Amino acid sequence: MSTIRHLNQQEAINVDLELFNEYQFSVDQLMELAGLSCAHAIAEAYSHEPNKSVLVCCGPGNNGGDGLVCSRHLKLLGFSPVILYPKPTDKPLFKNLVKQCQMYDIPFIYEMPDVEALNRNYHIAVDALFGFSFKPPVRPLFTPVLKVLCQTSLPVVSIDIPSGWHVEGGPSADTDALAPDMLISLTAPKLCAKHFQGRLHVLGGRFVPAQMSDKYQLNLPEYPGTSQTVVLTSKI
């Protein structure tokens, strides 16, 4: 099989726009599918851990929305998520996602714990701060969040793009260099994934139409059985 395609920033934007405009997917549809696959990927990788307390760090954009959906599904899979949401948005979609999490008794916090508290009270941290539209530098509100994620001894799971990285160039010299234990690429890996050095790289989002895969020559691997995810690289 040919090597899987890694998308640059404009290609990633174009794929999303095409899914919305040509294939008539809605934002909340794709967000639900993405968040579901992220939760399943995390559950499969860390289900052996006795302590399943997870801090899910959500940004204000669609990557944060994926994190909100992921939190809800993690709760259903037996984990105990807590959501860090320092910059809530008034957009109806996000208000609905927040309400759903609240109805599932998922706690929200609005300030990042310090490193010692994070290490003591949680077992996994999920990075759902910034997506593929991010360009450095990190905004001041999120600087302490990213700093703690870089310093923690917990395994960090990044959704689609490790926060602070450029979608194409990877880690930036201008920001703290996040080094996640696990990267969950969505739809198709982005170019920055070539810089990933963690233990587990997983592809999620089993919804890409065959016509689109052919058009962009994505060369996506086959998903096993009924799984929502497929492992791309593993050092486990």
Side-chain angles (χ1 to χ4, degrees):
M1 182 177 177
S2 301
T3 304
I4 190 170
R5 176 83 177 275
H6 288 66
L7 301 179
N8 64 35
Q9 189 170 45
Q10 191 57 55
E11 288 169 336
I13 292 170
N14 290 345
V15 165
D16 261 14
L17 290 175
E18 200 164 314
L19 286 168
F20 298 142
N21 299 327
E22 301 297 324
Y23 292 90
Q24 297 298 299
F25 281 97
S26 61
V27 176
D28 52 340
Q29 264 186 301
L30 293 183
M31 206 169 275
E32 188 69 26
L33 290 166
L36 172 66
S37 65
C38 289
H40 279 247
I42 293 167
E44 289 166 12
Y46 301 103
S47 62
H48 62 283
E49 303 293 354
N51 178 359
K52 296 186 179 180
S53 184
V54 185
L55 182 66
V56 184
C57 304
C58 295
N62 288 353
N63 196 261
D66 294 341
L68 292 171
V69 174
C70 175
S71 300
R72 174 161 39 84
H73 286 288
L74 282 174
K75 183 68 178 273
L76 292 171
L77 293 170
F79 288 76
S80 300
V82 174
I83 297 171
L84 172 75
Y85 202 31
K87 191 178 180 182
T89 173
D90 286 332
K91 293 179 180 178
L93 169 58
F94 291 87
K95 292 179 76 172
N96 290 343
L97 292 175
V98 168
K99 180 65 173 178
Q100 290 162 9
C101 289
Q102 290 170 337
M103 295 300 288
Y104 280 69
D105 296 322
I106 299 173
F108 280 77
I109 61 175
Y110 300 95
E111 290 187 8
M112 186 68 171
D114 61 29
V115 176
E116 290 76 15
L118 181 64
N119 292 343
R120 181 174 63 250
N121 297 323
Y122 300 93
H123 195 76
I124 306 164
V126 176
D127 157 36
L129 294 173
F130 311 126
F132 58 71
S133 60
F134 171 79
K135 291 183 179 178
V138 175
R139 285 169 286 179
L141 179 63
F142 294 97
T143 301
V145 179
L146 192 56
K147 189 176 186 66
V148 171
L149 288 178
C150 290
Q151 295 174 343
T152 183
S153 59
L154 302 184
V156 175
V157 179
S158 288
I159 294 180
D160 206 24
I161 308 286
S163 291
W165 289 26
H166 188 277
V167 63
E168 296 176 7
S172 169
D174 300 327
T175 61
D176 290 304
L178 186 61
D181 183 59
M182 179 179 184
L183 174 63
I184 307 171
S185 291
L186 297 173
T187 309
K190 315 309 181 286
L191 277 172
C192 66
K194 293 186 176 184
H195 297 270
F196 175 67
Q197 298 293 319
R199 291 193 309 148
L200 192 60
H201 185 194
V202 173
L203 179 65
R206 192 175 184 172
F207 54 77
V208 179
Q211 291 181 37
M212 172 174 281
S213 183
D214 292 342
K215 176 180 177 179
Y216 287 93
Q217 298 180 320
L218 298 179
N219 300 319
L220 299 177
E222 200 171 316
Y223 284 81
T226 58
S227 179
Q228 295 291 318
T229 64
V230 56
V231 174
L232 298 181
T233 61
S234 174
K235 298 177 184 176
I236 297 175

